[in-house]
Amino acid sequence: MKYIDEFNDPELARRLLDEIRATVTRPWAIMEVCGGQTHSIIRHGIDQLLPEDVELIHGPGCPVCVTPLDVIDQALEIASRPEVIFCSFGDMLRVPGSDRDLFRVKGEGGDVRVVYSPLDALELARRHPDRQVVFFAIGFETTAPANAMAAHQARRLGLTNFSLLVSHVRVPPAIEAIMTSPVCRVQGFLAAGHVCSVMGTAEYPALAERFGVPLVVTGFEPLDILEGIRCAVRQLERGEHRVENAYARAVRDDGNPAAMRMIQEVFEVTDRNWRGIGPIPGSGWRLTEAFREFDAEHRFDVGGIRTQEPAECRSGEVLQGLIKPTECAAFGTSCTPRTPLGATMVSSEGACAAYYLYRRMSGPTPRADRAAREEMNPVV
């Protein structure tokens, strides 16, 4: 299949790995921002094929994982109401709130439905004028245009029974928060290609210059990631720090202007709390005043819900790249996909889920095992 099979070529992967080995002369720590990239890295064993001096740090780019517990509990409260049809993408249903999840609400009689688009929820509102239809609008910049379009269409159609529970977050402020942390070890970033396909790269040069780090836009297939690592290592070795687009087949510097216009019409920047991390100024979006009538938090008066993170769950440290999932004592024991303590274990982009799914149940592969692994397990 075009643009997939050729980016899984094991021979090309070996060449890129050889180039990385030939380039690196000292230790470097690079963070892949996106959880989708994390899953690809762990699935293909890319982190174990790299030279020992190149460490990949898993970042906070899993929108399900960073949705704060307060918002999860708001969703559970709204979904429990008999007049509500609560719509969500499937990976939110197993995310634990304070004492239950959306699956439990559904099992207890709540009308919780999995949809594939916010426009599916909009159609439900049109077909069920006697019910309140709420869509759980989470995500990074990638999902914001479709959610903005849903609100835009709801106003155009005059629907008064449709609303969005919004918990949108933005990548650039998260990078700034990571780099200003006193415990930050990150020296370069692999930026999320799908985010940049919407927003372009305009916000990144200032970050690269301010913090002296390369920012390489990458895709999600093995060769995309290896090329991004190669570019980042090359910049680091040369003492460079600039934005580099290694995903030109999908990303333009100016992004998608039509999508950005839709976002700007419906959303405005706000401070946002990140689960396990805390508040990051200017890191989210909320509905503008013109679209506030579609804000489920206000419509159902759930803004006062405040809850505490479970002390046993260390997902916040995982999301900040401070620890690997296997360094958490609960990983694979008291915290599993059936009994998750946090969203990182059940989200399709969560780092803990990646480690569990692909049986990475212990720490880093010993150095002596790497050559054998590379020989036995080419990147495919």
Side-chain angles (χ1 to χ4, degrees):
M1 183 181 295
K2 191 175 183 182
Y3 291 148
I4 294 181
D5 288 349
E6 58 264 59
F7 288 91
N8 285 266
D9 187 316
E11 181 55 38
L12 291 177
R14 291 190 185 95
R15 292 182 194 174
L16 284 170
L17 284 163
D18 288 342
E19 287 190 43
I20 294 168
R21 291 190 193 96
T23 302
V24 67
T25 63
R26 51 181 166 152
W28 300 112
I30 301 169
M31 174 177 280
E32 83 277 1
V33 173
C34 177
Q37 292 169 338
T38 300
H39 270 252
S40 186
I41 287 165
I42 302 304
R43 175 187 176 189
H44 297 287
I46 290 172
D47 58 327
Q48 296 179 317
L49 297 172
L50 291 169
E52 192 172 54
D53 282 341
V54 179
E55 178 189 1
L56 294 182
I57 299 176
H58 313 315
C62 165
V64 172
C65 303
V66 301
T67 301
L69 192 57
D70 295 349
V71 177
I72 301 296
D73 283 352
Q74 290 173 9
L76 297 171
E77 166 63 25
I78 294 170
S80 299
R81 301 191 183 191
E83 74 274 18
V84 168
I85 299 174
F86 193 87
C87 300
S88 173
F89 296 137
D91 54 0
M92 289 300 300
L93 268 64
R94 288 295 311 281
V95 175
S98 294
D99 58 3
R100 53 183 175 162
D101 56 26
L102 285 168
F103 263 133
R104 174 72 64 85
V105 171
K106 184 176 178 66
E108 292 171 351
D111 194 346
V112 177
R113 307 191 190 189
V114 174
V115 295
Y116 296 96
S117 162
L119 298 179
D120 294 339
L122 195 72
E123 176 62 17
L124 284 171
R126 192 187 65 79
R127 285 165 35 199
H128 299 278
D130 57 326
R131 305 283 300 280
Q132 287 290 328
V133 177
V134 181
F135 179 73
F136 204 174
I138 71 155
F140 283 88
E141 294 92 332
T142 319
T143 56
N147 292 336
M149 177 60 76
H152 180 87
Q153 289 288 86
R155 188 172 69 173
R156 186 182 68 82
L157 295 170
L159 294 177
T160 59
N161 65 325
F162 176 79
S163 57
L164 301 170
L165 181 60
V166 178
S167 187
H168 269 300
V169 286
R170 302 172 56 238
V171 169
I175 292 177
E176 180 176 1
I178 289 165
M179 292 307 300
T180 53
S181 168
V183 293
C184 176
R185 297 188 301 111
V186 179
Q187 297 164 293
F189 286 92
L190 303 182
H194 51 4
V195 169
C196 294
S197 71
V198 175
M199 303 302 294
T201 60
E203 293 182 272
Y204 293 101
L207 291 169
E209 182 63 29
R210 176 182 172 187
F211 297 111
V213 294
L215 278 153
V216 182
V217 181
T218 59
F220 305 89
E221 299 302 326
L223 295 189
D224 288 320
I225 294 169
L226 286 170
E227 173 63 8
I229 294 168
R230 186 186 71 86
C231 293
V233 168
R234 182 176 58 191
Q235 284 198 48
L236 288 166
E237 290 283 340
R238 293 175 177 176
E240 298 174 353
H241 49 270
R242 56 188 172 82
V243 177
E244 191 169 354
N245 184 5
Y247 197 37
R249 71 182 187 276
V251 172
R252 302 187 311 179
D253 288 343
D254 62 346
N256 185 325
M260 287 192 285
R261 284 194 298 270
M262 180 60 65
I263 291 171
Q264 291 164 2
E265 177 184 349
V266 175
F267 293 118
E268 62 186 9
V269 173
T270 187
D271 299 342
R272 184 68 71 186
N273 191 40
W274 293 49
R275 186 171 190 174
I277 298 174
I280 302 178
S283 66
W285 278 314
R286 66 182 178 186
L287 291 165
T288 63
E289 188 62 37
F291 287 88
R292 197 60 51 82
E293 64 184 293
F294 300 107
D295 191 333
E297 181 180 332
H298 291 282
R299 179 173 292 186
F300 295 95
D301 192 24
V302 294
I305 293 177
R306 294 291 181 268
T307 45
Q308 295 293 320
E309 299 282 346
E312 188 182 4
C313 180
R314 301 181 67 186
S315 61
E317 294 170 85
V318 172
L319 289 166
Q320 295 175 75
L322 301 179
I323 64 171
K324 297 291 194 290
T326 50
E327 295 177 73
C328 174
F331 175 80
T333 55
S334 58
C335 182
T336 70
R338 287 184 177 272
T339 58
L341 294 176
T344 50
M345 180 55 86
V346 290
S347 169
S348 61
E349 294 188 2
C352 297
Y355 274 62
Y356 193 94
L357 176 63
Y358 300 116
R359 313 310 295 170
R360 191 74 66 81
M361 305 300 285
S362 59
T365 299
R367 186 174 186 175
D369 293 344
R370 290 194 172 204
R373 176 178 173 85
E374 182 176 351
E375 183 67 26
M376 296 170 61
N377 185 28
V379 182
V380 292

